[in-house]
Amino acid sequence: MAEYEAVIGLEVHVQLNTKSKLFCGCSTAFGAEANTQTCPVCLGLPGVLPVLNRAAFEKSVRAALALDCEIAPFTKFDRKNYYYPDLPKNYQISQYDLPLSRNGRLAFEVAGHEKSVRIRRAHLEEDAGKLLHEDPRGSGRSLVDLNRTGTPLLEIVTEPDLSSAEEAVAYLMALKQLLKYVDVSDCEMQEGSMRCEPNVSVRPKGAKELGVKTEIKNLNSFRNVAAAIEYEIERHIKLLEAGQRVRQETMLWDADRGATAPMRSKEEAQDYRYFPEPDLPPFTMTAEETGRLRATLPELPAARRARFETALGLDAYSAGVLTAERPVADWYESVLSAGAPAPEAAKWVINDCLREREDRKLDFADFPVKPAELAALIGLVEKKTINPTIARQKLLPAMFETKRGAAELVKELGLAQVTDAGAISAAVEAAIAKNPKALADYRGGKAEAVMFLVGQVMRETKGKANAGAVRELLEKRLAELK
Amino acid sequence: MALERKEVEHVALLARLELSEEELTRFHRQLDNILGYVEKLNEADTSGVEPLAHAAASGNVFREDEVKPSLERAEALAQAPDSDGWFFRVPRIIDMGGEL
C-alpha cells in the first residue's frame, strides 16, 4: 500500500462582535425572537441603500493586522449572486477580487513543534438568514428567520498548508485565541459565531501535484472538525486504493453517524456572477490609517507568552496557561502590579483561581477576588502571618465567598499562624500525653511516629501552627524523652 | 452569432426566468447585439490607463456602529407572500447546507 499525505486548507467565518449589522442599524444580539431584528435594508426591499458599519471595517482590519496580513490600500465590495430563501436580496454583499487584506500568516504550536500557516486572504461580507427546513407546526413548508441576515462576517482563508486534523484544530484554536485577544469576535462554534469549512485532498507522499479536494460543511465543534477531516482523509485514500477517483464536491458532516455524505449537488455548476456592488463606493486605506489601527492592537498571545517566559521567568507551561485568554493574563499582571512575585502569583492563579473559576462559573473580567487582594494573600504567606495550607483551604475560599480583603478576613476568622512558642509547646506536650502509643512507637524506632504527632499538633492548633516549627519542637522533645 | 443559445438558457435559469422558445430566440438575438456593441469598447486604446475597479468616484462612506429600531415583526412579514406570524414561509427546500 502506497503512503499518502493529506493536504488541508481551511475557510473560516467569524461573526464580528459589533452591536449593529454590517449595512444597517439592526441589532446583532443573539437569541432574539424570530424576525424581530430586520429592516428594509437587510430585508432587501427595493430602493434601500447599504452603508458600511465603521466598527465592522475597523475590526476586520485589526484582525487582518493581527494575522500579519497586508492591508489593501484600495478595497471594494462585490455582489455574489445566488438564489436561496435565506438570502432575501438574492445576492450576498461580499468581496471578490480586491479583498481588504491578503498574504498573512499564523504561527502556533502543535504536538510540540511550531507550525506556520499562510493566510491567503481575509475579507468582509454579510451573513445570510436562518432556514428551518421542517416546520414544527407541520405546514410542510420551510421557515425563514432573517434576524441574522446582514450580520458582519470576516472570512479567513488559509493556503493548503495543513496536513492533519490535529493541525487543523490547533490552527482553529490559535485563531480563536488571537481574534478574542484583539476583541473582534467571540468565536463560539456552538453558537455559530465561528464556522469552519475544511478543504481536504490526499496525494501519494512526496507528490508535487495536489489531489482532488472535497469541501466539508456542517461542522459545529472542534471535535467535529477533527472527526470529519479524519473521515474524509480515510475515504479519499480508500477510493484511491481501489483505483477510483475522488469527485470534487461538497460533503455534509453527519455528527450522529460520524460520516460525511455528498451534499445534493446542483445540476448547474456554481455561477455566482460576481460584479462590483454599485450601492457601496469603494474604500481606501492610507498607511497612516492602517498605522492608527495597528496601534490599537494589544500585545498578541505569542509575544505575551514569550515575555512571560523571558521577562517574568515562568516555565513554558505556566506562560501558556496564563496567556491562553487575555482576561486571565490581564488579571495575572494586575496581581504582579500589586507587588506579588511572578512565579508565586502564577501558582496561585493557575492552581487556585482558575479552578475557582471553573467551580463557580466566574469571569475574570469581573472576578470576585481583586488582584490586589490575591497579592495581599501572597504577602501574608510570605511574611508567615498565615501558613500556605490555611491560605489555600480557608482564606481564599472565604475571599471568594465574601468578596472581602485578605488581611481583614485573617483577623476576623482568626487564621493567623500560631507563632507563640508557649502555645505550640503546650500543644506538643498535650499531643505526646494523649498518644502514648506514638511515643512507644518512636522509642521503638518508628520514624513515622513523628509525622503522626505533627498531625495531631496541627489539628490541635486548627492548622494554624507552622508545621516546620512544630516538627522541630517535637523532635527535640521526643529526643529528650527517649 | 457569437453568443450561443445554451448560454442564454443558462443565464435565464440563473435568473429564474422561464422563457418560451420564441422568447429565447428573441433574447438571444438582442443579447448578442448588446454584447457586440460592448465588444466595440475593446477597440479603444487603454494602454497606460489605470483599470477602474468601481464606477463610484468617492469612497469611505461609513455609518457608526449604533443600533437603530428594527421593523415590527408583523410589518416585516407583511412584505412577504406567506408567513405564519413568526416566520417567513417558503416552499420546502431539499438542497441542504446553505451557501456560506
Side-chain angles (χ1 to χ4, degrees), chain A residues 20 25 34-35 38 52 54 82 84 92 134 137 141-142 144 197 266 268 271-272 277 280-281 284, chain B residues 10 13-14 54 58-60 63-65 68 70-71 73 82 84 86 88 90 92-93 95 99-100:
Chain A
S20 64
N35 294 307
T38 71
L52 185 63
R54 183 191 300 276
Y82 65 90
Y84 208 65
Q92 177 197 22
E134 303 268 354
R137 281 192 291 272
R141 317 202 87 202
S142 293
V144 189
E197 281 150 25
K266 294 164 190 140
E268 289 290 314
D271 186 347
Y272 294 129
E277 167 57 86
L280 284 165
T284 53
Chain B
H10 176 64
L13 181 75
L14 289 173
H54 202 288
S58 66
N60 291 27
R63 45 172 275 274
E64 298 307 316
D65 183 22
K68 297 276 159 62
S70 291
L71 289 177
R73 174 162 53 200
D82 188 16
D84 64 1
W86 288 271
F88 295 97
V90 296
R92 187 101 180 270
I93 305 300
D95 181 357
E99 291 289 341
L100 295 181

Side-chain angles (χ1 to χ4, degrees), chain A residues 1-6 200-205 212 229-246:
Chain A
M1 183 171 141
E3 279 221 58
Y4 292 94
E5 62 184 5
V200 177
S201 68
V202 302
R203 62 182 173 192
K205 210 169 179 131
V212 177
I229 289 175
E230 270 161 18
Y231 183 91
E232 272 301 283
I233 292 172
E234 205 166 305
R235 190 178 71 84
H236 288 203
I237 291 175
K238 272 189 196 146
L239 282 171
L240 298 179
E241 285 288 300
Q244 289 174 287
R245 290 219 301 241
V246 176

Side-chain angles (χ1 to χ4, degrees), chain A residues 170-190:
Chain A
Y171 164 79
L172 287 176
M173 288 170 69
L175 183 64
K176 174 176 177 165
Q177 180 192 38
L178 185 73
L179 296 179
K180 288 185 74 145
Y181 254 73
V182 295
D183 187 28
V184 302
S185 175
D186 302 328
C187 296
E188 289 297 340
M189 283 196 87
Q190 269 81 359

Side-chain angles (χ1 to χ4, degrees), chain A residues 236-454:
Chain A
H236 288 203
I237 291 175
K238 272 189 196 146
L239 282 171
L240 298 179
E241 285 288 300
Q244 289 174 287
R245 290 219 301 241
V246 176
R247 263 177 49 154
Q248 177 159 356
E249 61 190 333
T250 301
M251 309 295 290
L252 280 184
W253 174 246
D254 182 336
D256 295 330
R257 287 196 308 121
T260 62
M263 198 167 118
R264 248 179 71 96
S265 54
K266 294 164 190 140
E267 286 164 34
E268 289 290 314
Q270 302 284 32
D271 186 347
Y272 294 129
R273 292 153 294 144
Y274 281 98
F275 64 85
E277 167 57 86
D279 290 345
L280 284 165
F283 294 83
T284 53
M285 282 292 282
T286 63
E288 290 73 45
E289 283 164 323
T290 304
R292 180 181 65 78
L293 290 173
R294 193 189 295 277
T296 67
L297 292 181
E299 184 180 25
L300 299 180
R304 198 168 197 183
R305 181 176 176 167
R307 177 170 62 81
F308 276 22
E309 284 187 54
T310 53
L312 300 180
L314 300 186
D315 59 89
Y317 169 78
S318 302
V321 172
L322 289 171
T323 56
E325 301 159 64
R326 188 176 162 196
V328 176
D330 288 347
W331 197 87
Y332 168 70
E333 293 216 73
S334 302
V335 177
L336 303 192
S337 304
E344 200 53 30
K347 275 185 225 153
W348 282 95
V349 173
I350 293 170
N351 299 333
D352 300 282
C353 295
L354 285 171
R355 201 192 51 229
E356 289 288 343
R357 173 177 71 167
E358 288 311 307
D359 293 350
R360 296 168 194 256
K361 304 269 169 272
L362 301 169
D363 186 351
F364 267 93
D366 180 31
F367 214 53
V369 171
K370 295 299 150 213
E373 290 305 325
L374 182 66
L377 174 148
I378 293 168
L380 290 169
V381 173
E382 286 215 319
K383 279 184 287 180
K384 299 200 186 334
T385 305
I386 49 173
N387 76 32
T389 311
I390 290 281
R392 178 157 286 126
Q393 293 175 354
K394 296 241 167 73
L395 178 55
L396 194 59
M399 288 163 69
F400 275 103
E401 289 298 334
T402 64
K403 301 185 183 182
R404 285 164 57 195
E408 193 187 335
L409 284 167
V410 166
K411 206 170 284 174
E412 187 173 310
L413 303 174
L415 300 176
Q417 192 155 265
V418 177
T419 45
D420 173 3
I424 295 177
S425 171
V428 164
E429 293 303 331
I432 294 171
K434 275 191 215 158
N435 296 283
K437 184 170 179 300
L439 181 60
D441 286 349
Y442 177 78
R443 284 175 170 153
K446 280 192 187 161
E448 311 92 84
V450 180
M451 286 323 290
F452 172 78
L453 287 168
V454 169

